[in-house]
Amino acid sequence: MAKCLIVEDDPDIGESLSSILDDECYKVRIAHDGREGLDEISKEIPDIVLLDVEMPVLNGPDMAYELFIQVCGKELIPIVLLSGVANLKQVAEQVGTPYFLAKPYPIDRLLNLVQRALAEKRAPVPRLREKT
């Protein structure tokens, strides 16, 4: 059973995702912002993270970057970005993940992407931010 961490600030979306993945026999935990997500990962490393982009406290891209710089296995977790931001493809490129879906998304596309990410196990490779 794959362990999945959902990091989503909207409780309705988080619970909906949890229910969908639970029905597919994933072991699911939910965090409500990036800082809480990092705390959850320090308790138990998941097999995959479903990550919102825009959240309070610590946003999705910054959480992904924090995982990358910790370099203790946490940087190897595949990340699926789920967001309604207009520039989601660019955010995914910045985070370095090939896995992203724009909200709203069909459930079958979400499940297929999660299965693909778990099978490929491609960890994000973030682009370093250029100094201005």
Side-chain angles (χ1 to χ4, degrees), residues 8 52-54 81-88 101-105:
E8 169 63 61
D52 189 12
V53 172
E54 295 180 324
L81 289 180
L82 304 172
S83 181
V85 298
N87 62 340
L88 182 58
L101 272 178
K103 294 177 183 176
Y105 41 79

Side-chain angles (χ1 to χ4, degrees), residues 1-7 13-31 40 44 46-50 111 114:
M1 174 184 323
K3 297 175 287 187
C4 178
L5 176 63
I6 298 166
V7 185
I13 293 173
E15 287 300 324
S16 177
L17 281 172
S18 178
S19 178
I20 290 165
L21 294 171
D22 188 57
D23 287 348
E24 296 295 318
C25 297
Y26 291 98
K27 181 181 176 188
V28 181
R29 292 179 294 148
I30 300 174
E40 285 296 321
E44 180 181 18
D47 298 307
I48 190 168
V49 173
L50 277 62
L111 293 174
V114 168

Side-chain angles (χ1 to χ4, degrees), residues 5 23 36 60 67-68 73 101-102 109 111 114 116 127 129:
L5 176 63
D23 287 348
E36 195 175 307
L67 289 174
F68 182 74
L101 272 178
R109 285 195 57 210
L111 293 174
V114 168
R116 184 178 129 216
R127 281 195 325 216
R129 297 178 180 148

Side-chain angles (χ1 to χ4, degrees), residues 2-132:
K3 297 175 287 187
C4 178
L5 176 63
I6 298 166
V7 185
E8 169 63 61
D9 64 322
D10 183 315
D12 293 334
I13 293 173
E15 287 300 324
S16 177
L17 281 172
S18 178
S19 178
I20 290 165
L21 294 171
D22 188 57
D23 287 348
E24 296 295 318
C25 297
Y26 291 98
K27 181 181 176 188
V28 181
R29 292 179 294 148
I30 300 174
H32 300 287
D33 60 58
R35 181 64 51 213
E36 195 175 307
L38 291 172
D39 292 344
E40 285 296 321
I41 289 171
S42 69
K43 293 175 190 172
E44 180 181 18
I45 296 178
D47 298 307
I48 190 168
V49 173
L50 277 62
L51 184 60
D52 189 12
V53 172
E54 295 180 324
M55 294 180 290
V57 184
L58 185 67
N59 68 35
D62 288 345
M63 179 188 154
Y65 184 73
E66 286 290 323
L67 289 174
F68 182 74
I69 63 171
Q70 289 181 13
V71 190
C72 56
K74 298 174 186 176
E75 78 282 5
L76 302 176
I77 305 167
I79 293 175
V80 176
L81 289 180
L82 304 172
S83 181
V85 298
N87 62 340
L88 182 58
K89 183 177 181 184
Q90 290 81 13
V91 173
E93 288 171 357
Q94 188 72 40
V95 168
T97 182
Y99 313 116
F100 59 94
L101 272 178
K103 294 177 183 176
Y105 41 79
I107 293 172
D108 61 330
R109 285 195 57 210
L110 170 70
L111 293 174
N112 287 338
L113 187 58
V114 168
Q115 290 169 355
R116 184 178 129 216
L118 285 167
E120 294 175 351
K121 297 182 182 177
R122 288 179 57 190
V125 181
R127 281 195 325 216
L128 296 177
R129 297 178 180 148
E130 296 178 17
K131 293 183 179 182
T132 55

